[in-house]
Amino acid sequence: MLRAVYHVRCDASRVVDLARSIAVEQTVESPDALIGEETERRFVGRLVSIEPLPDGRFAVTLDYPPEAADAPLPQILNLVYGNVSLLRSVRLAELEPCDAVLRSFRGPRFGVEGLRDLLGVRGRPLLGAVIKPRGTSVETLARMAGDFALGGGDLVKDDHNFVSRDLAQFRRHVTLCQQAVSDANARTGGKCLYLCNLSVPAGEIARYVEAALGAHVRGVMVAPLALGLDTVRHVAESYPLVVLAHPSFSGALYQGGEHGIDPGILLGTLYRMAGIDITIVPAPGGRLASTREECARVVGLLRAPLGSLRRAWAAPAGGLRLDAIPDAIAEFGDDTVLLFGGALLTHGSSLERSTSDFMDVIRQHVRNRAAPGNAT
Amino acid sequence: MLRAVYHVRCDASRVVDLARSIAVEQTVESPDALIGEETERRFVGRLVSIEPLPDGRFAVTLDYPPEAADAPLPQILNLVYGNVSLLRSVRLAELEPCDAVLRSFRGPRFGVEGLRDLLGVRGRPLLGAVIKPRGTSVETLARMAGDFALGGGDLVKDDHNFVSRDLAQFRRHVTLCQQAVSDANARTGGKCLYLCNLSVPAGEIARYVEAALGAHVRGVMVAPLALGLDTVRHVAESYPLVVLAHPSFSGALYQGGEHGIDPGILLGTLYRMAGIDITIVPAPGGRLASTREECARVVGLLRAPLGSLRRAWAAPAGGLRLDAIPDAIAEFGDDTVLLFGGALLTHGSSLERSTSDFMDVIRQHVRNRAAPGNAT
């Protein structure tokens, strides 16, 4: 069984008919005359409730029966938002797959605890960095990754605009970057992770992932809405990699006001079902259009119970600045990757020193909070 | 080079800065301090123009340079709408990839002419049907497919909600449906096509496609936004199949008013780049929210010049009725698949006769139009 709540705008006189039409449209898409008793019982969504919302819309709650809901991820997307996406002012606002549906999904391979184990870090948020911009030589990018690791950072990732011309160029890029981070780790005794960007054609993914694994890379960044959400699930299930999701393209689905899909469902629930360990969340107050409520909603669903699926990390990013660290920790808690691009790279002339400065702010904040009288 | 036009809503005083920030955000996502002259020239979008629109928004035209634009499809999605999707009221309104970019894409394998060759049909639209609803026995569905072929229909497809429990069930379904259509073709001398639904996990697609090919199936239906657009491109490039796209889930990207992606770009340009031969377009006046202008826009871009890519078919659907046939032909022309579900299946007790009735309306309309004095 899978429960979906849609927020719809329509005349009150029409809402019961609309609710029924959604229940049918999403499952058997047929006139009532063709829907026999057995098809109705096995597949058609069951109307649970219709509630008015303060803004004049209605919350329509439907339960999709087990046989409709226990399906591969592409079919779940089709079930919960396939044809109704073609209406207007019908927003998927809540999604609750039952445990039986979730049992088909592995979820995050590492999740919150697994990544802490891998990094050996407890009791504080992680510091993440992006190497960029595109056009920088791979030697320089690799040195940046290494300097970040030397400065004590936790994970460093490619910019999501990095594209390799071919597999050889990709292999060279990931080999040099991973080597720089491994060398730095060997010097510091740290366990900094490097995550390479995986933005490659569908038929090539296995070859690229295997090249990354061959270079001892432990994680990948993907843009699930550009690459295909189920493609990402397949990668996450098939390879022992930390998977970080970039929100590129995802706003097309959730920034449409009264239409589309709630960002918490998309970046939280569905991304966890796809096996993502870390999700970048556009940070409120940054360059991207994100409110504290939206961000909190995504973060909440990355951590909420979801069958036996592991909790995942939130990585607020997109114009995050050094002085925002205390507020970000206070707001989003310790199971957060504080992910910096421009603010870290332009902080000073030495990226190693800048990283160390940023890490000091995190550590200082965590210490202060633990000091007697400061616990809040 | 790739030209993108964004329709943005913002203060007039801010539009130049917004245009620059889009050009940077989409390509190198870095503060200006990090963007050297070479990176600027090779990757950053070039501002072509800013024009006011009648509704108070602005049209911002950017040219992305060749090195940014000549990329795999996931990266093109990232380039044209990746990070700006996370803003608000930024709509991708036009997309013009140059021939050099398009050369990496095969486009529709059959397209308008190829499908006419396959079916041996000239000078009229095609009649398509959907077998449904889910829950009907495969024997009955196969008989429906066969009856449609006996009635003279051109192509019959699975409902997009059909999901097989496993490969054996899928193989049985496609084998029986294809066999029924092949038997009918043998009796009539016709060439009706059967297209099976492909909604399977990412790692299983090759096995399912090969099972379909093994059963002599000539075409598949996919929901690119549920399955992954680049996954569909890979299927279309790799197998000798007619590919029909269902718009399931796609409205999440284009029904968001001033945000998201123009439906013509999505269902027209991008679907053609992904190799789709036929695109279902929500029909105006049907069950789904579609205007004549939106439908015409999609149809236009399915047929407009796009490098050397073949033209593709539009299949208006979603509550299309028998009496709408003349208007639909007048409006969308002959390179159209008139696709019927419920209206055809509930038309009479014999699907063979109903099909023949629907086909008569198409033929009659085409004849009338050709009669002297009626040419319009």
Side-chain angles (χ1 to χ4, degrees), chain A residues 114-291:
Chain A
L115 187 60
R116 287 203 179 280
D117 289 347
L118 212 57
L119 294 170
V121 174
R122 306 273 157 202
R124 66 162 173 83
L126 305 180
L127 178 63
V130 189
I131 52 175
K132 57 167 77 177
R134 190 173 178 190
T136 309
S137 75
V138 61
E139 290 80 5
T140 302
L141 292 170
R143 193 165 54 243
M144 291 165 71
D147 287 348
F148 175 76
L150 286 174
D154 297 302
L155 59 88
V156 54
K157 71 168 196 68
D158 283 341
D159 184 66
H160 73 293
N161 293 302
F162 290 174
V163 187
S164 298
R165 195 178 47 241
D166 55 28
L167 185 61
Q169 195 185 48
F170 176 82
R171 184 179 281 120
R172 181 159 184 274
H173 174 94
V174 300
T175 301
L176 289 180
C177 290
Q178 180 60 57
Q179 191 60 52
V181 171
S182 298
D183 289 350
N185 284 342
R187 282 176 57 191
T188 63
K191 296 182 171 180
C192 181
L193 276 181
Y194 161 66
L195 296 90
C196 69
N197 187 34
L198 194 67
S199 182
V200 300
E204 304 285 315
I205 289 172
R207 293 200 309 145
Y208 278 72
V209 168
E210 279 151 24
L213 289 169
H216 309 293
V217 173
R218 305 289 304 271
V220 290
M221 178 170 70
V222 291
L225 272 300
L227 208 56
L229 186 62
D230 198 52
T231 300
V232 168
R233 178 205 54 76
H234 180 58
V235 169
E237 276 185 11
S238 306
Y239 300 99
L241 290 163
V242 175
V243 180
L244 181 149
H246 192 285
S248 170
F249 209 80
S250 68
L253 282 75
Y254 72 76
Q255 295 283 47
E258 296 191 350
H259 200 64
I261 297 180
D262 171 83
I265 295 176
L266 187 65
L267 308 184
T269 308
L270 290 170
Y271 276 21
R272 267 169 87 191
M273 289 170 71
I276 285 156
D277 297 291
I278 309 166
T279 303
I280 296 179
V281 188
R287 296 191 318 278
L288 306 167
S290 178
T291 64

Side-chain angles (χ1 to χ4, degrees), chain B residues 57-81:
Chain B
R57 290 186 293 168
F58 296 92
V60 172
T61 301
L62 298 178
D63 280 349
Y64 294 111
E67 210 169 339
D70 190 7
L73 192 51
Q75 196 60 24
I76 287 184
L77 298 182
N78 176 56
L79 174 68
V80 300
Y81 207 62

Side-chain angles (χ1 to χ4, degrees), chain B residues 2-13:
Chain B
L2 190 151
R3 174 162 292 187
V5 181
Y6 301 95
H7 289 178
V8 304
R9 185 173 295 284
C10 70
D11 283 353
S13 64

Side-chain angles (χ1 to χ4, degrees), chain B residues 217-272:
Chain B
V217 173
R218 305 289 303 271
V220 291
M221 179 170 69
V222 292
L225 272 301
L227 208 56
L229 186 62
D230 199 52
T231 300
V232 167
R233 177 205 54 76
H234 180 58
V235 169
E237 276 186 10
S238 306
Y239 301 99
L241 289 163
V242 175
V243 180
L244 181 150
H246 192 284
S248 170
F249 209 81
S250 67
L253 282 74
Y254 72 76
Q255 295 281 48
E258 296 191 351
H259 199 65
I261 297 181
D262 170 83
I265 295 175
L266 186 65
L267 307 183
T269 308
L270 290 170
Y271 277 21
R272 268 169 87 191

Side-chain angles (χ1 to χ4, degrees), chain B residues 140-218:
Chain B
T140 302
L141 292 170
R143 191 165 56 240
M144 289 164 73
D147 287 348
F148 175 76
L150 286 175
D154 297 302
L155 59 88
V156 55
K157 72 169 194 66
D158 283 341
D159 184 66
H160 73 293
N161 294 301
F162 290 174
V163 187
S164 297
R165 193 176 49 241
D166 54 28
L167 185 61
Q169 195 185 49
F170 176 82
R171 185 179 281 120
R172 180 158 185 275
H173 175 94
V174 301
T175 301
L176 289 180
C177 290
Q178 180 60 57
Q179 191 60 50
V181 171
S182 298
D183 289 351
N185 285 340
R187 282 175 56 190
T188 63
K191 296 181 171 183
C192 181
L193 276 181
Y194 161 65
L195 295 91
C196 68
N197 187 35
L198 194 66
S199 181
V200 299
E204 304 284 316
I205 289 172
R207 293 200 309 147
Y208 278 74
V209 168
E210 279 150 26
L213 289 169
H216 308 292
V217 173
R218 305 289 303 271

